[in-house]
């Protein structure tokens, strides 16, 4: 997605009480920066949801290398909207944003089984959430690998379900080249279960999730890999029944 409208509200914008699900979305290189304060407070967020009854569910998404907004969060919710992000990899663009997520005016953000990387050099100084939680707002973060400089995540629902990233190169196939697929031995492999959230679709490569990789055996919580990519051993291929016409 590329947002070519400088007056728009980001690459993906939802309002008016709509319910939507975005699956396997690649959001890359979004030029959605504000051009003046007259464009409104949320004109540059990569994902923007507003209004009561608006629910947005994102799963199996890769969001990276976006310019975003200097004054707002990478993914922003306001006025009672609900955003659920699961099995997604989010890498804040260079020089972008006050934080990865925000909840404003009774809105909600639910985060499940994600890899979240907040850019330390951005205006947000490496924050997952750009502001402290206010009355009427709700935030959930379960099964999270994260990179940030400030402790902004809500308390974990389960012990050990939020782990700081020790090394980005050890996490991805080729982090320096922008390849955010998991590499063998990545700490994101076999990290979580489906107690809080069960995936409803495949990963970014259209491969099923939940393959146990011995000898990890579902450490620390389960056999599901975090982020947009579900890792496969080099010789593993999926068998699918042929689809024949009646």
């Amino acid at each position: 997605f590329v947002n070519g409208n400088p007056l728009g509200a980001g690459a993906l914008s939802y309002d008016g009480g709509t319910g939507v699900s975005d699956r396997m979305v690649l959001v890359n290189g979004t030029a959605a920066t504000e051009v003046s304060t007259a464009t409104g407070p949320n004109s540059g967020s990569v994902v923007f949801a507003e209004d009561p009854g608006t629910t947005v569910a994102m799963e199996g998404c890769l969001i990276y290398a976006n310019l975003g907004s200097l004054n707002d969060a990478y993914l922003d919710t306001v006025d009672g909207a609900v955003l659920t992000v699961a099995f997604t990899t989010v890498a804040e663009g260079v020089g972008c944003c006050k934080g990865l997520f925000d909840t404003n005016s009774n809105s909600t953000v639910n985060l499940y089984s994600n890899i979240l990387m907040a850019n330390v050099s951005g205006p947000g100084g490496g924050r997952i959430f750009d502001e402290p939680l206010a009355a009427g707002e709700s935030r959930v973060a379960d099964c999270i690998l994260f990179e940030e400089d400030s402790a902004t995540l809500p308390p974990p629902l389960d012990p050990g379900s939020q782990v700081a990233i020790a090394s980005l190169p050890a996490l991805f196939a080729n982090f320096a080249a922008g390849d955010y697929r998991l590499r063998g031995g990545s700490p994101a492999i076999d990290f979580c279960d489906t107690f809080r959230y069960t995936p409803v679709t495949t990963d970014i490569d259209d491969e099923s999730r939940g393959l146990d990789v011995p000898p990890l055996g579902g450490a620390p919580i389960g056999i599901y890999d975090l982020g947009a990519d579900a890792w496969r051993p080099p010789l593993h291929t999926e068998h699918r029944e042929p689809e024949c016409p009646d």
Side-chain angles (χ1 to χ4, degrees), residues 19-56:
V20 296
S21 297
D22 284 313
R23 307 297 180 190
M24 295 185 294
V25 175
L26 178 70
V27 187
N28 174 27
T30 301
T33 53
E34 293 183 349
V35 294
S36 71
T37 56
T39 63
N42 299 295
S43 63
S45 299
V46 177
V47 175
F48 176 62
E50 67 175 335
D51 295 336
T54 298
T55 59
V56 180

Side-chain angles (χ1 to χ4, degrees), residues 130-146:
D130 71 345
E131 295 176 344
L133 185 68
E137 300 171 358
S138 176
R139 299 170 181 175
V140 170
D142 183 64
C143 286
I144 303 295
L145 271 173
F146 66 92

Side-chain angles (χ1 to χ4, degrees), residues 1-5 8-14 22 25-34 41-49 56 58 61-77 83 85 88-102:
F1 291 84
V2 176
N3 179 27
N5 178 9
L12 302 171
S13 181
Y14 310 96
D22 284 313
V25 175
L26 178 70
V27 187
N28 174 27
T30 301
T33 53
E34 293 183 349
N42 299 295
S43 63
S45 299
V46 177
V47 175
F48 176 62
V56 180
M58 304 184 70
C61 302
L62 175 59
I63 306 174
Y64 73 106
N66 296 278
L67 297 177
S69 169
L70 298 179
N71 297 321
D72 301 289
Y74 216 36
L75 296 90
D76 209 349
T77 58
L83 172 66
V85 180
T88 288
T89 299
V90 182
E92 186 179 356
V94 175
C96 170
C97 308
K98 290 172 62 180
L100 291 187
F101 299 93
D102 193 17

